[in-house]
Amino acid sequence: MADAAEEMEAVLSGKAWDVGGGVGGSAEPHIPVRLGSSVCYVVLAVLFNAEDAVLLVQEAKPQCRGLWYLPAGRVEPHENLGAAVRREVREETGLQCEPLTLLALEERGPMWVRFVFLARHTGGTLKTLRDADAESLQALWWRGDPRALPLRAPDILPLLDLASRYRRAPPPPPPSRRSCRAPSSACGSSSPSRAAPGGTFGCC
């Protein structure tokens, strides 16, 4: 089986990737995965400011013009996910950001995958109606209930809840400073590996 990193690199670089048949061995013809052609990778960013307001954008697309959503958009060929997040946030809100962590990975079948990132605002100027373009009409920091706004889709509500819970969670404990010893199995013994105190394995 091909390595997942190799597959991701191939698709993000604009190459085709043969996904093969279905689990049940379907005889239907399959189409190689090609970013921008047969598969759509989407990034979505969740940003909060110091007052816990969330960054929202007002859509400019004809089919959802005037509705509100999180900054999101398609990954372009030859673009990595971090660069896609930074570009979409900049184009739709006027702000610069830095992705912090991947919050969720969503899919609607193998041909539509969305990567949801928590990101941090690092600079830029918030887009206003005077800056409206094809990417968005404007952006704002919203402190109220997002359901009070006309949303493009309610699918962002559980993502906002997930991001809020992640931010409230205590940070993970620092890694142990204890020396790491390899179990005897790593030295050629047939005895099984055992977990070290704290739930980590002794073999680094």
Side-chain angles (χ1 to χ4, degrees):
M1 181 179 291
D3 183 79
E6 182 184 355
E7 177 181 351
M8 177 71 77
E9 177 63 27
V11 175
L12 290 178
S13 63
K15 301 175 183 176
W17 187 268
D18 191 345
V19 296
V23 174
S26 173
E28 296 180 3
H30 56 269
I31 303 173
V33 172
R34 187 185 297 275
L35 191 64
S37 175
S38 61
V39 66
C40 178
Y41 283 180
V42 176
V43 292
L44 180 145
V46 184
L47 289 87
F48 295 93
N49 65 10
E51 287 73 40
D52 287 331
V54 65
L55 183 63
L56 297 176
V57 299
Q58 192 173 35
E59 297 283 3
K61 304 179 186 68
Q63 64 270 29
C64 54
R65 187 178 180 86
L67 303 181
W68 294 88
Y69 207 64
L70 291 169
R74 297 185 180 187
V75 179
E76 297 179 352
H78 308 284
E79 184 178 43
N80 64 48
L81 298 177
V85 171
R86 289 186 285 268
R87 175 182 55 78
E88 287 293 341
V89 170
R90 183 180 66 253
E91 290 176 350
E92 296 190 353
T93 73
L95 300 182
Q96 298 170 356
C97 78
E98 189 60 35
L100 297 175
T101 189
L102 180 66
L103 284 173
L105 179 62
E106 306 171 307
E107 66 168 356
R108 297 175 188 168
M111 298 306 182
W112 187 94
V113 182
R114 183 163 71 178
F115 301 84
V116 180
F117 284 87
L118 180 66
R120 176 174 58 91
H121 168 223
T122 59
T125 302
L126 194 66
K127 178 184 282 189
T128 68
L129 285 173
R130 291 180 298 179
D131 308 311
D133 55 23
E135 297 293 337
S136 66
L137 298 179
Q138 62 178 324
L140 60 73
W141 292 104
W142 180 258
R143 295 189 61 184
D145 187 339
R147 291 171 294 185
L149 294 172
L151 298 178
R152 169 182 160 185
D155 64 337
I156 64 172
L157 297 176
L159 299 178
L160 290 172
D161 179 65
L162 175 64
S164 296
R165 287 189 285 114
Y166 180 89
R167 295 174 72 235
R168 292 195 301 267
S176 173
R177 294 176 178 266
R178 287 197 298 269
S179 61
C180 187
R181 295 181 179 178
S184 56
S185 59
C187 302
S189 170
S190 58
S191 60
S193 301
R194 299 181 60 186
T200 59
F201 283 93
C203 182
C204 293

